[in-house]
Amino acid sequence: MTDNLVIAGRTFRSRLMIGTGKYPDLETMRAAHRASGAEVVTVAVRRVNLADRSAGSLMDYLDLDRMLILPNTAACYTAEEAIRTARLAREILDTPWIKLEVIGDEKTLFPDNAGLIEATHTLAKEGFIVLPYFNDDLVAARRLIDAGAAAIMPLAAPIGSGLGIQNFTTLRILREMITDVPIIVDAGVGTASDVAIAMEMGMDGVLLNTAVATAQNPPLMAAAMKHAIEAGRMAYLAGRMPRRLYASASSPLDGLIGSRP
């Protein structure tokens, strides 16, 4: 079965995207990336020296022959900051891809949807492939798409919380109403079951970082996430059985041995 993720005309075999922060060391990060099978790796432009290509730098530990680097605008609190950071990333990395973040609240790290829409509009006009991280809001999703977003990335729970999916209803609404661009769940997953549930709901992919990076065994957790993505996607495509209130025998009663005539 061929079932690839396509964003802005680029095809990915893996529907898992992974980050680079919070790992105990760079060797562990690289091992986790390999175990995950992810083909997209995101890096915070304002927190990492992307121009440093010396041996032992973060960039030296990224398998860029296999993975697309997706710079992000983490720690930007205005549209203007995010736009400048995206332009810097494109200049350094020679890529139009950007995971767009405009944070609206310092404690919760919830996105500023209005700022995201403004920045998406500007960056898309400049040729960027914009993947905005936003609050799970249908109206905001439509405005981001109208502004030029190539995919949308609603949060499942606050960044780094590990709470799992807290907003089932709004994510289901987004999945039903948004069909013209991929939906990538971003932020809040804590373990493999959270990922499987997101994929069973019909999400097109999951981006995660803390759940793997802060696990007791990051490479093993990364492998678990890989299998969860695949299992959840297959279950969604297969179509689950209907839920019933009462029991239903697994075997039919017709022709039951010893049954009364």
Side-chain angles (χ1 to χ4, degrees):
M1 181 181 66
T2 301
D3 178 45
N4 296 322
L5 171 63
V6 180
I7 303 176
R10 178 159 179 162
T11 299
F12 303 95
R13 290 171 295 177
S14 172
R15 293 175 177 269
L16 178 63
M17 302 179 182
I18 200 161
T20 53
K22 299 184 179 179
Y23 285 91
D25 54 71
L26 293 175
E27 286 287 359
T28 300
M29 181 196 74
R30 178 159 59 185
H33 287 179
R34 289 174 176 169
S36 74
E39 295 175 306
V40 177
V41 58
T42 185
V43 179
V45 179
R46 301 190 72 186
R47 293 174 176 156
V48 176
N49 184 1
L50 298 178
D52 182 7
R53 300 301 181 94
S54 62
S57 71
L58 171 69
M59 300 298 292
D60 193 47
Y61 283 81
L62 300 181
D63 185 0
L64 298 183
D65 290 332
R66 182 177 63 85
M67 304 175 81
L68 169 73
I69 188 167
L70 178 64
N72 71 59
T73 62
C76 291
Y77 284 82
T78 66
E80 292 76 15
E81 278 186 326
I83 291 167
R84 287 197 304 270
T85 303
R87 289 168 177 165
L88 175 64
R90 180 166 64 178
E91 181 178 345
I92 295 173
L93 298 172
D94 191 28
T95 178
W97 290 75
I98 193 76
K99 180 195 170 189
L100 184 63
E101 298 183 28
V102 180
I103 301 302
D105 180 75
E106 188 172 359
K107 184 174 183 178
T108 64
L109 299 181
F110 285 153
D112 176 351
N113 285 350
L116 282 167
I117 294 166
E118 177 185 346
T120 298
H121 185 267
T122 297
L123 293 172
K125 286 178 63 177
E126 295 181 8
F128 282 88
I129 298 170
V130 184
L131 284 67
Y133 160 70
F134 74 113
N135 286 308
D136 51 313
D137 180 283
L138 176 62
V139 175
R142 286 173 168 164
R143 290 177 178 171
L144 286 166
I145 294 167
D146 289 344
I152 55 172
M153 307 184 79
L155 57 78
I159 292 175
S161 67
L163 290 171
I165 298 172
Q166 299 295 301
N167 47 359
F168 289 95
T169 300
T170 49
L171 287 180
R172 287 179 60 191
I173 290 171
L174 284 172
R175 178 67 288 168
E176 181 177 336
M177 302 296 287
I178 302 297
T179 58
D180 41 351
V181 301
I183 303 175
I184 311 296
V185 166
D186 181 15
V189 300
T191 191
S193 58
D194 301 328
V195 170
I197 290 169
M199 297 306 294
E200 288 174 7
M201 293 174 67
M203 300 298 108
D204 295 293
V206 174
L207 189 151
L208 53 82
N209 179 68
T210 306
V212 168
T214 64
Q216 294 182 31
N217 186 329
L220 187 59
M221 182 61 80
M225 298 301 191
K226 174 181 184 292
H227 293 301
I229 285 278
E230 294 168 354
R233 179 64 178 176
M234 285 190 287
Y236 171 71
L237 294 176
R240 66 157 290 140
M241 64 170 285
R243 291 180 171 88
R244 299 186 179 95
L245 181 61
Y246 298 105
S248 176
S250 298
S251 301
L253 297 179
D254 295 342
L256 187 66
I257 296 173
S259 61
R260 297 179 179 179

